């Protein structure tokens, strides 16, 4: 980075002394306002290091994003590492994150059970398919494939016909 200087100025407030004022463009500054997460984690004990995830990931669930934005998830729990010489605050943090995870897994299991009982996890056509023989299923698949091909050809012909009309 090259620093350019303004002309020497005369300043009466400083007793007539002259000074040189540097001109630095903001685009030339190379300031890393956020240190890398690895640098931060090197100094911390293993129990206080947090999981590092890409918060800009487009595939991240919005609920997961909001939780990770507000609650830091530890890499290792103190009871897994065997280090019980951590602060009460760290112990409470680890136990509350663990309890939240257990609660969410339990709620998902109960919800999955009731969804299965109500038939929400089955196919729309599960009742029909369950009473069909293998021959009927093969026949049905062949019929569906044939009608799909007919539809594709119809749409292709219609597109060609529309392009001829637009060309005229």
């Amino acid at each position: 980075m090259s620093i350019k200087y303004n002309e020497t100025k005369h300043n009466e407030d400083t007793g007539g002394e002259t000074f040189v004022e540097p001109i630095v463009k903001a685009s030339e500054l190379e300031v890393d306002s956020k240190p890398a997460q690895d640098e931060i984690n090197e100094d911390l004990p293993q129990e206080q290091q947090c999981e590092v995830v890409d918060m800009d990931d487009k595939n991240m669930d919005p609920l997961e994003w909001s939780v990770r934005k507000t609650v830091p998830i530890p890499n290792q729990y103190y009871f897994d590492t065997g280090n019980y010489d951590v602060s009460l605050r760290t112990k409470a943090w680890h136990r509350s994150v663990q309890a939240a995870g257990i609660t969410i897994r339990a709620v998902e299991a109960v919800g999955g059970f009731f969804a299965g009982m109500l038939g929400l996890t089955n196919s729309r056509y599960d009742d029909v398919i369950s009473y069909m023989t293998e021959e009927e299923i093969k026949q049905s698949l062949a019929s569906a494939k044939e009608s799909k091909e007919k539809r594709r050809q119809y749409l292709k012909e219609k597109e060609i016909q529309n392009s001829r009309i637009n060309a005229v």
Side-chain angles (χ1 to χ4, degrees):
M1 177 176 77
S2 62
I3 298 177
K4 299 177 184 175
Y5 293 94
N6 269 346
E7 312 173 0
T8 304
K9 295 183 177 180
H10 184 72
N11 190 346
E12 292 179 13
D13 294 338
T14 59
E17 297 176 9
T18 59
F19 65 95
V20 177
E21 182 180 341
I23 300 174
V24 180
K25 295 180 183 176
S27 61
E28 293 178 353
L29 289 177
E30 297 175 14
V31 178
D32 187 12
S33 60
K34 229 178 168 184
Q37 189 69 28
D38 296 337
E39 293 173 10
I40 294 172
N41 283 345
E42 285 178 1
D43 300 334
L44 293 174
Q46 189 176 10
E47 293 80 16
Q48 292 182 344
Q49 295 177 6
C50 297
E51 282 187 9
V52 180
V53 293
D54 180 18
M55 295 300 285
D56 296 329
D57 185 11
K58 294 177 184 176
N59 296 326
M60 185 180 284
D61 180 36
L63 182 62
E64 180 186 2
W65 183 89
S66 60
V67 168
R68 286 188 179 274
K69 193 74 172 172
T70 56
V71 180
I73 309 296
N75 272 343
Q76 292 281 319
Y77 294 108
Y78 75 92
F79 43 85
D80 289 339
T81 61
N83 181 12
Y84 293 93
D85 296 330
V86 293
S87 67
L88 183 61
R89 183 177 177 178
T90 302
K91 288 179 181 179
W93 167 44
H94 286 208
R95 288 294 183 186
S96 62
V97 170
Q98 180 196 29
I102 290 171
T103 303
I104 288 175
R105 282 191 293 277
V107 167
E108 284 182 351
V110 170
F113 172 76
F114 282 111
M117 292 291 290
L118 294 173
L120 299 175
T121 58
N122 298 339
S123 167
R124 290 194 311 188
Y125 309 108
D126 196 43
D127 294 335
V128 175
I129 294 172
S130 62
Y131 293 109
M132 292 175 73
T133 63
E134 283 192 38
E135 284 183 24
E136 291 173 330
I137 292 174
K138 288 179 183 178
Q139 218 174 14
S140 175
L141 289 174
S143 173
K145 189 175 182 179
E146 183 181 321
S147 63
K148 201 175 205 180
E149 187 60 38
K150 283 183 182 179
R151 177 74 177 164
R152 189 177 293 131
Q153 285 177 354
Y154 168 76
L155 290 174
K156 193 182 270 187
E157 289 173 8
K158 190 174 180 180
E159 185 180 324
I160 292 170
Q161 196 175 33
N162 285 341
S163 64
R164 286 180 187 165
I165 291 172
N166 290 338
V168 174

